[in-house]
Amino acid sequence: NTDALGRATELARLHEGALFGEMALLQAAPRTATVAVVGEADLLEMGRDTLRAIADELDGVAVALDRFARDRLVKNLLATSAMFRPFPRAQQMELLQRFTSHDVDPETVVVREGDWTTGLYLVLSGEMQVSKLADGVSVPLALLRPGQGFVEMARPEGPPGTATV
């Protein structure tokens, strides 16, 4: 992986049986890391069109791929989110099981400024815009990326929500 200064960082060494490139393929997103062969390697490749054809032809493949992608996203979240870092692996999994998963379409408002709601939200994939109204105009405050989250603790007995996400 390359940081903002152009320095390469080794994220992992892959060995026999390792799978890579699947998240970019399954999510139709740009790759987030570079993979280079060290020494010698034999690879098998399955392209997007082949994977799509198999998912269309064989029952259960699309569901299995979706579950695989979600499990990989969760694994990445546990490895990168500061919220989970202080806890041992067993407690991380226990905490994570208490979240409810949602597939959210673009432009969907999850939390609206002025509404009463409570919850801790973590971005599993994609990006979420945080904004606030100023003189009737929506002003962007932050862009939340995978592993980042926000807490909304607005209740009827307290002040309403302070931002829209």
mmCIF file of all heavy atoms in Angstrom, residues 42-75:
data_model
loop_
_atom_site.group_PDB
_atom_site.id
_atom_site.type_symbol
_atom_site.label_atom_id
_atom_site.label_comp_id
_atom_site.label_asym_id
_atom_site.label_seq_id
_atom_site.Cartn_x
_atom_site.Cartn_y
_atom_site.Cartn_z
ATOM 1 N N ASP A 42 2.566 -19.539 -8.735
ATOM 2 C CA ASP A 42 1.567 -19.995 -9.704
ATOM 3 C C ASP A 42 0.235 -19.440 -9.231
ATOM 4 O O ASP A 42 -0.114 -19.577 -8.051
ATOM 5 C CB ASP A 42 1.499 -21.533 -9.745
ATOM 6 C CG ASP A 42 2.743 -22.151 -10.357
ATOM 7 O OD1 ASP A 42 3.242 -21.596 -11.353
ATOM 8 O OD2 ASP A 42 3.212 -23.173 -9.825
ATOM 9 N N LEU A 43 -0.513 -18.803 -10.141
ATOM 10 C CA LEU A 43 -1.777 -18.163 -9.775
ATOM 11 C C LEU A 43 -2.928 -18.727 -10.590
ATOM 12 O O LEU A 43 -2.753 -19.118 -11.743
ATOM 13 C CB LEU A 43 -1.711 -16.653 -10.034
ATOM 14 C CG LEU A 43 -0.648 -15.852 -9.317
ATOM 15 C CD1 LEU A 43 -0.657 -14.412 -9.823
ATOM 16 C CD2 LEU A 43 -0.893 -15.888 -7.823
ATOM 17 N N LEU A 44 -4.091 -18.728 -10.002
ATOM 18 C CA LEU A 44 -5.338 -18.969 -10.707
ATOM 19 C C LEU A 44 -6.130 -17.671 -10.659
ATOM 20 O O LEU A 44 -6.141 -16.996 -9.634
ATOM 21 C CB LEU A 44 -6.149 -20.080 -10.027
ATOM 22 C CG LEU A 44 -5.536 -21.473 -10.023
ATOM 23 C CD1 LEU A 44 -6.403 -22.413 -9.196
ATOM 24 C CD2 LEU A 44 -5.394 -21.994 -11.445
ATOM 25 N N GLU A 45 -6.779 -17.334 -11.762
ATOM 26 C CA GLU A 45 -7.553 -16.093 -11.825
ATOM 27 C C GLU A 45 -8.959 -16.380 -12.324
ATOM 28 O O GLU A 45 -9.154 -17.191 -13.220
ATOM 29 C CB GLU A 45 -6.880 -15.108 -12.790
ATOM 30 C CG GLU A 45 -7.678 -13.839 -12.991
ATOM 31 C CD GLU A 45 -7.134 -12.963 -14.103
ATOM 32 O OE1 GLU A 45 -6.188 -13.385 -14.800
ATOM 33 O OE2 GLU A 45 -7.663 -11.860 -14.274
ATOM 34 N N MET A 46 -9.936 -15.705 -11.721
ATOM 35 C CA MET A 46 -11.303 -15.754 -12.208
ATOM 36 C C MET A 46 -11.755 -14.311 -12.406
ATOM 37 O O MET A 46 -11.794 -13.531 -11.451
ATOM 38 C CB MET A 46 -12.244 -16.455 -11.214
ATOM 39 C CG MET A 46 -13.672 -16.553 -11.738
ATOM 40 S SD MET A 46 -14.801 -17.402 -10.629
ATOM 41 C CE MET A 46 -14.149 -19.051 -10.669
ATOM 42 N N GLY A 47 -12.086 -13.956 -13.621
ATOM 43 C CA GLY A 47 -12.492 -12.597 -13.942
ATOM 44 C C GLY A 47 -13.928 -12.305 -13.535
ATOM 45 O O GLY A 47 -14.717 -13.210 -13.241
ATOM 46 N N ARG A 48 -14.275 -11.038 -13.554
ATOM 47 C CA ARG A 48 -15.602 -10.569 -13.155
ATOM 48 C C ARG A 48 -16.715 -11.224 -13.984
ATOM 49 O O ARG A 48 -17.721 -11.664 -13.445
ATOM 50 C CB ARG A 48 -15.676 -9.049 -13.284
ATOM 51 C CG ARG A 48 -16.985 -8.449 -12.835
ATOM 52 C CD ARG A 48 -17.072 -6.948 -13.051
ATOM 53 N NE ARG A 48 -15.848 -6.228 -12.811
ATOM 54 C CZ ARG A 48 -15.424 -5.802 -11.609
ATOM 55 N NH1 ARG A 48 -16.154 -6.024 -10.548
ATOM 56 N NH2 ARG A 48 -14.294 -5.144 -11.486
ATOM 57 N N ASP A 49 -16.530 -11.308 -15.308
ATOM 58 C CA ASP A 49 -17.571 -11.887 -16.164
ATOM 59 C C ASP A 49 -17.794 -13.357 -15.841
ATOM 60 O O ASP A 49 -18.929 -13.835 -15.803
ATOM 61 C CB ASP A 49 -17.213 -11.709 -17.641
ATOM 62 C CG ASP A 49 -17.251 -10.237 -18.068
ATOM 63 O OD1 ASP A 49 -17.917 -9.430 -17.374
ATOM 64 O OD2 ASP A 49 -16.617 -9.899 -19.082
ATOM 65 N N THR A 50 -16.712 -14.102 -15.626
ATOM 66 C CA THR A 50 -16.833 -15.521 -15.279
ATOM 67 C C THR A 50 -17.532 -15.686 -13.943
ATOM 68 O O THR A 50 -18.430 -16.524 -13.794
ATOM 69 C CB THR A 50 -15.438 -16.185 -15.235
ATOM 70 O OG1 THR A 50 -14.810 -16.006 -16.490
ATOM 71 C CG2 THR A 50 -15.546 -17.659 -14.897
ATOM 72 N N LEU A 51 -17.145 -14.885 -12.967
ATOM 73 C CA LEU A 51 -17.764 -14.961 -11.642
ATOM 74 C C LEU A 51 -19.253 -14.641 -11.727
ATOM 75 O O LEU A 51 -20.083 -15.328 -11.119
ATOM 76 C CB LEU A 51 -17.057 -14.006 -10.683
ATOM 77 C CG LEU A 51 -17.436 -14.088 -9.224
ATOM 78 C CD1 LEU A 51 -17.180 -15.482 -8.672
ATOM 79 C CD2 LEU A 51 -16.654 -13.063 -8.417
ATOM 80 N N ARG A 52 -19.599 -13.613 -12.498
ATOM 81 C CA ARG A 52 -21.008 -13.235 -12.657
ATOM 82 C C ARG A 52 -21.793 -14.371 -13.319
ATOM 83 O O ARG A 52 -22.909 -14.700 -12.918
ATOM 84 C CB ARG A 52 -21.116 -11.953 -13.479
ATOM 85 C CG ARG A 52 -22.527 -11.401 -13.544
ATOM 86 C CD ARG A 52 -22.618 -10.058 -14.254
ATOM 87 N NE ARG A 52 -21.908 -9.039 -13.491
ATOM 88 C CZ ARG A 52 -20.905 -8.311 -13.974
ATOM 89 N NH1 ARG A 52 -20.493 -8.459 -15.206
ATOM 90 N NH2 ARG A 52 -20.315 -7.403 -13.230
ATOM 91 N N ALA A 53 -21.210 -15.007 -14.349
ATOM 92 C CA ALA A 53 -21.890 -16.108 -15.046
ATOM 93 C C ALA A 53 -22.116 -17.290 -14.105
ATOM 94 O O ALA A 53 -23.194 -17.891 -14.106
ATOM 95 C CB ALA A 53 -21.068 -16.542 -16.264
ATOM 96 N N ILE A 54 -21.126 -17.606 -13.293
ATOM 97 C CA ILE A 54 -21.271 -18.711 -12.338
ATOM 98 C C ILE A 54 -22.366 -18.393 -11.325
ATOM 99 O O ILE A 54 -23.192 -19.237 -11.001
ATOM 100 C CB ILE A 54 -19.928 -19.002 -11.636
ATOM 101 C CG1 ILE A 54 -18.942 -19.608 -12.615
ATOM 102 C CG2 ILE A 54 -20.125 -19.929 -10.433
ATOM 103 C CD1 ILE A 54 -17.535 -19.722 -12.077
ATOM 104 N N ALA A 55 -22.386 -17.162 -10.831
ATOM 105 C CA ALA A 55 -23.410 -16.757 -9.861
ATOM 106 C C ALA A 55 -24.796 -16.838 -10.474
ATOM 107 O O ALA A 55 -25.776 -17.178 -9.787
ATOM 108 C CB ALA A 55 -23.125 -15.358 -9.347
ATOM 109 N N ASP A 56 -24.918 -16.532 -11.768
ATOM 110 C CA ASP A 56 -26.216 -16.612 -12.445
ATOM 111 C C ASP A 56 -26.638 -18.057 -12.701
ATOM 112 O O ASP A 56 -27.824 -18.376 -12.675
ATOM 113 C CB ASP A 56 -26.172 -15.857 -13.787
ATOM 114 C CG ASP A 56 -26.095 -14.346 -13.609
ATOM 115 O OD1 ASP A 56 -26.403 -13.861 -12.493
ATOM 116 O OD2 ASP A 56 -25.712 -13.659 -14.587
ATOM 117 N N GLU A 57 -25.674 -18.941 -12.940
ATOM 118 C CA GLU A 57 -25.964 -20.326 -13.308
ATOM 119 C C GLU A 57 -26.193 -21.252 -12.121
ATOM 120 O O GLU A 57 -27.004 -22.171 -12.195
ATOM 121 C CB GLU A 57 -24.824 -20.890 -14.156
ATOM 122 C CG GLU A 57 -24.700 -20.259 -15.522
ATOM 123 C CD GLU A 57 -23.452 -20.720 -16.252
ATOM 124 O OE1 GLU A 57 -22.925 -21.812 -15.932
ATOM 125 O OE2 GLU A 57 -22.998 -19.985 -17.141
ATOM 126 N N LEU A 58 -25.459 -21.044 -11.040
ATOM 127 C CA LEU A 58 -25.504 -21.985 -9.922
ATOM 128 C C LEU A 58 -26.213 -21.368 -8.718
ATOM 129 O O LEU A 58 -25.813 -20.302 -8.236
ATOM 130 C CB LEU A 58 -24.081 -22.414 -9.527
ATOM 131 C CG LEU A 58 -23.270 -23.125 -10.606
ATOM 132 C CD1 LEU A 58 -21.849 -23.355 -10.137
ATOM 133 C CD2 LEU A 58 -23.936 -24.435 -10.991
ATOM 134 N N ASP A 59 -27.249 -22.064 -8.250
ATOM 135 C CA ASP A 59 -27.979 -21.599 -7.070
ATOM 136 C C ASP A 59 -27.052 -21.483 -5.874
ATOM 137 O O ASP A 59 -26.205 -22.339 -5.648
ATOM 138 C CB ASP A 59 -29.114 -22.575 -6.718
ATOM 139 C CG ASP A 59 -30.228 -22.573 -7.750
ATOM 140 O OD1 ASP A 59 -30.324 -21.581 -8.496
ATOM 141 O OD2 ASP A 59 -30.987 -23.559 -7.806
ATOM 142 N N GLY A 60 -27.192 -20.419 -5.124
ATOM 143 C CA GLY A 60 -26.456 -20.253 -3.884
ATOM 144 C C GLY A 60 -25.112 -19.566 -4.025
ATOM 145 O O GLY A 60 -24.552 -19.106 -3.032
ATOM 146 N N VAL A 61 -24.565 -19.488 -5.240
ATOM 147 C CA VAL A 61 -23.243 -18.876 -5.404
ATOM 148 C C VAL A 61 -23.297 -17.388 -5.066
ATOM 149 O O VAL A 61 -22.439 -16.866 -4.358
ATOM 150 C CB VAL A 61 -22.675 -19.111 -6.822
ATOM 151 C CG1 VAL A 61 -21.421 -18.285 -7.055
ATOM 152 C CG2 VAL A 61 -22.391 -20.590 -7.024
ATOM 153 N N ALA A 62 -24.331 -16.684 -5.561
ATOM 154 C CA ALA A 62 -24.439 -15.243 -5.287
ATOM 155 C C ALA A 62 -24.578 -14.988 -3.788
ATOM 156 O O ALA A 62 -23.940 -14.071 -3.246
ATOM 157 C CB ALA A 62 -25.623 -14.640 -6.039
ATOM 158 N N VAL A 63 -25.362 -15.806 -3.109
ATOM 159 C CA VAL A 63 -25.538 -15.656 -1.655
ATOM 160 C C VAL A 63 -24.220 -15.926 -0.936
ATOM 161 O O VAL A 63 -23.831 -15.190 -0.030
ATOM 162 C CB VAL A 63 -26.648 -16.609 -1.140
ATOM 163 C CG1 VAL A 63 -26.702 -16.610 0.376
ATOM 164 C CG2 VAL A 63 -27.990 -16.215 -1.730
ATOM 165 N N ALA A 64 -23.509 -16.977 -1.360
ATOM 166 C CA ALA A 64 -22.223 -17.307 -0.732
ATOM 167 C C ALA A 64 -21.207 -16.195 -0.964
ATOM 168 O O ALA A 64 -20.450 -15.841 -0.049
ATOM 169 C CB ALA A 64 -21.700 -18.636 -1.278
ATOM 170 N N LEU A 65 -21.180 -15.631 -2.162
ATOM 171 C CA LEU A 65 -20.245 -14.533 -2.456
ATOM 172 C C LEU A 65 -20.575 -13.298 -1.627
ATOM 173 O O LEU A 65 -19.675 -12.632 -1.118
ATOM 174 C CB LEU A 65 -20.271 -14.200 -3.946
ATOM 175 C CG LEU A 65 -19.635 -15.229 -4.868
ATOM 176 C CD1 LEU A 65 -19.902 -14.872 -6.323
ATOM 177 C CD2 LEU A 65 -18.151 -15.360 -4.592
ATOM 178 N N ASP A 66 -21.864 -13.009 -1.480
ATOM 179 C CA ASP A 66 -22.275 -11.863 -0.665
ATOM 180 C C ASP A 66 -21.867 -12.069 0.791
ATOM 181 O O ASP A 66 -21.332 -11.166 1.426
ATOM 182 C CB ASP A 66 -23.785 -11.644 -0.771
ATOM 183 C CG ASP A 66 -24.226 -10.410 -0.023
ATOM 184 O OD1 ASP A 66 -23.721 -9.311 -0.328
ATOM 185 O OD2 ASP A 66 -25.078 -10.546 0.885
ATOM 186 N N ARG A 67 -22.090 -13.269 1.308
ATOM 187 C CA ARG A 67 -21.710 -13.583 2.693
ATOM 188 C C ARG A 67 -20.191 -13.497 2.857
ATOM 189 O O ARG A 67 -19.696 -12.957 3.839
ATOM 190 C CB ARG A 67 -22.214 -14.966 3.091
ATOM 191 C CG ARG A 67 -21.799 -15.349 4.518
ATOM 192 C CD ARG A 67 -22.505 -16.569 5.031
ATOM 193 N NE ARG A 67 -23.883 -16.198 5.312
ATOM 194 C CZ ARG A 67 -24.945 -16.828 4.818
ATOM 195 N NH1 ARG A 67 -24.804 -17.858 4.030
ATOM 196 N NH2 ARG A 67 -26.160 -16.426 5.117
ATOM 197 N N PHE A 68 -19.449 -14.017 1.871
ATOM 198 C CA PHE A 68 -17.984 -13.960 1.914
ATOM 199 C C PHE A 68 -17.514 -12.508 1.953
ATOM 200 O O PHE A 68 -16.651 -12.146 2.751
ATOM 201 C CB PHE A 68 -17.394 -14.680 0.703
ATOM 202 C CG PHE A 68 -15.906 -14.547 0.612
ATOM 203 C CD1 PHE A 68 -15.082 -15.386 1.345
ATOM 204 C CD2 PHE A 68 -15.327 -13.583 -0.192
ATOM 205 C CE1 PHE A 68 -13.703 -15.261 1.272
ATOM 206 C CE2 PHE A 68 -13.950 -13.451 -0.270
ATOM 207 C CZ PHE A 68 -13.141 -14.300 0.464
ATOM 208 N N ALA A 69 -18.085 -11.674 1.076
ATOM 209 C CA ALA A 69 -17.687 -10.263 1.027
ATOM 210 C C ALA A 69 -17.990 -9.566 2.345
ATOM 211 O O ALA A 69 -17.170 -8.816 2.876
ATOM 212 C CB ALA A 69 -18.389 -9.553 -0.127
ATOM 213 N N ARG A 70 -19.160 -9.822 2.907
ATOM 214 C CA ARG A 70 -19.534 -9.189 4.172
ATOM 215 C C ARG A 70 -18.613 -9.668 5.295
ATOM 216 O O ARG A 70 -18.161 -8.873 6.115
ATOM 217 C CB ARG A 70 -20.991 -9.465 4.521
ATOM 218 C CG ARG A 70 -21.470 -8.669 5.708
ATOM 219 C CD ARG A 70 -22.973 -8.628 5.824
ATOM 220 N NE ARG A 70 -23.630 -8.041 4.693
ATOM 221 C CZ ARG A 70 -23.827 -6.732 4.511
ATOM 222 N NH1 ARG A 70 -23.389 -5.880 5.392
ATOM 223 N NH2 ARG A 70 -24.462 -6.293 3.459
ATOM 224 N N ASP A 71 -18.300 -10.954 5.334
ATOM 225 C CA ASP A 71 -17.391 -11.480 6.363
ATOM 226 C C ASP A 71 -16.011 -10.844 6.243
ATOM 227 O O ASP A 71 -15.377 -10.512 7.241
ATOM 228 C CB ASP A 71 -17.277 -13.003 6.262
ATOM 229 C CG ASP A 71 -18.526 -13.727 6.728
ATOM 230 O OD1 ASP A 71 -19.414 -13.085 7.330
ATOM 231 O OD2 ASP A 71 -18.628 -14.942 6.469
ATOM 232 N N ARG A 72 -15.527 -10.650 5.006
ATOM 233 C CA ARG A 72 -14.226 -10.031 4.798
ATOM 234 C C ARG A 72 -14.257 -8.562 5.242
ATOM 235 O O ARG A 72 -13.320 -8.075 5.863
ATOM 236 C CB ARG A 72 -13.823 -10.143 3.335
ATOM 237 C CG ARG A 72 -12.461 -9.543 3.005
ATOM 238 C CD ARG A 72 -11.301 -10.199 3.790
ATOM 239 N NE ARG A 72 -11.046 -11.535 3.421
ATOM 240 C CZ ARG A 72 -10.114 -11.943 2.581
ATOM 241 N NH1 ARG A 72 -9.329 -11.079 2.010
ATOM 242 N NH2 ARG A 72 -9.970 -13.220 2.321
ATOM 243 N N LEU A 73 -15.348 -7.865 4.951
ATOM 244 C CA LEU A 73 -15.483 -6.473 5.393
ATOM 245 C C LEU A 73 -15.458 -6.390 6.917
ATOM 246 O O LEU A 73 -14.828 -5.501 7.493
ATOM 247 C CB LEU A 73 -16.773 -5.857 4.851
ATOM 248 C CG LEU A 73 -16.794 -5.556 3.363
ATOM 249 C CD1 LEU A 73 -18.212 -5.201 2.918
ATOM 250 C CD2 LEU A 73 -15.827 -4.449 3.009
ATOM 251 N N VAL A 74 -16.150 -7.317 7.565
ATOM 252 C CA VAL A 74 -16.178 -7.336 9.030
ATOM 253 C C VAL A 74 -14.783 -7.615 9.577
ATOM 254 O O VAL A 74 -14.330 -6.959 10.524
ATOM 255 C CB VAL A 74 -17.196 -8.383 9.544
ATOM 256 C CG1 VAL A 74 -17.014 -8.659 11.021
ATOM 257 C CG2 VAL A 74 -18.617 -7.911 9.254
ATOM 258 N N LYS A 75 -14.074 -8.558 8.978
ATOM 259 C CA LYS A 75 -12.706 -8.861 9.414
ATOM 260 C C LYS A 75 -11.822 -7.624 9.278
ATOM 261 O O LYS A 75 -11.045 -7.292 10.178
ATOM 262 C CB LYS A 75 -12.144 -10.015 8.587
ATOM 263 C CG LYS A 75 -10.752 -10.424 8.972
ATOM 264 C CD LYS A 75 -10.271 -11.571 8.098
ATOM 265 C CE LYS A 75 -8.831 -11.892 8.403
ATOM 266 N NZ LYS A 75 -8.267 -12.858 7.473
#
